[in-house]
Amino acid sequence: MERIEYLRLHFIQAAKAIQAGVNLAGYFVWSFMDNFEWARGYRMRFGLVHVDFETLARRLKHSAVWYQNVIENHGL
């Protein structure tokens, strides 16, 4: 669950920045779906959505479900 902890810590810092007056309007997760990375090819899977590269089937990872809950609850 490293990706969830990574996102959670970033969202906490983003909230602190907003409270300090930073005009932060959004946050983009890197990346939405597993894809080809120039430096590492298909070895690293950074996306919120797992892609089976043979069938192109997609499934939500735990981090995607967690992120969905954050959005639905308007915060952590």
Side-chain angles (χ1 to χ4, degrees), residues 13-58:
Q13 293 305 314
K16 288 179 181 179
I18 292 169
Q19 290 170 355
V22 174
N23 183 19
L24 180 62
Y27 181 89
F28 294 93
V29 175
W30 183 274
S31 92
F32 176 68
M33 291 190 303
D34 290 337
N35 59 357
F36 180 82
E37 294 289 330
W38 287 108
R40 296 190 174 123
Y42 290 116
R43 290 188 308 261
M44 299 297 290
R45 294 187 173 256
F46 298 106
L48 295 174
V49 177
H50 176 270
V51 177
D52 181 321
F53 296 126
E54 290 185 23
T55 66
L56 299 182
R58 295 162 174 86

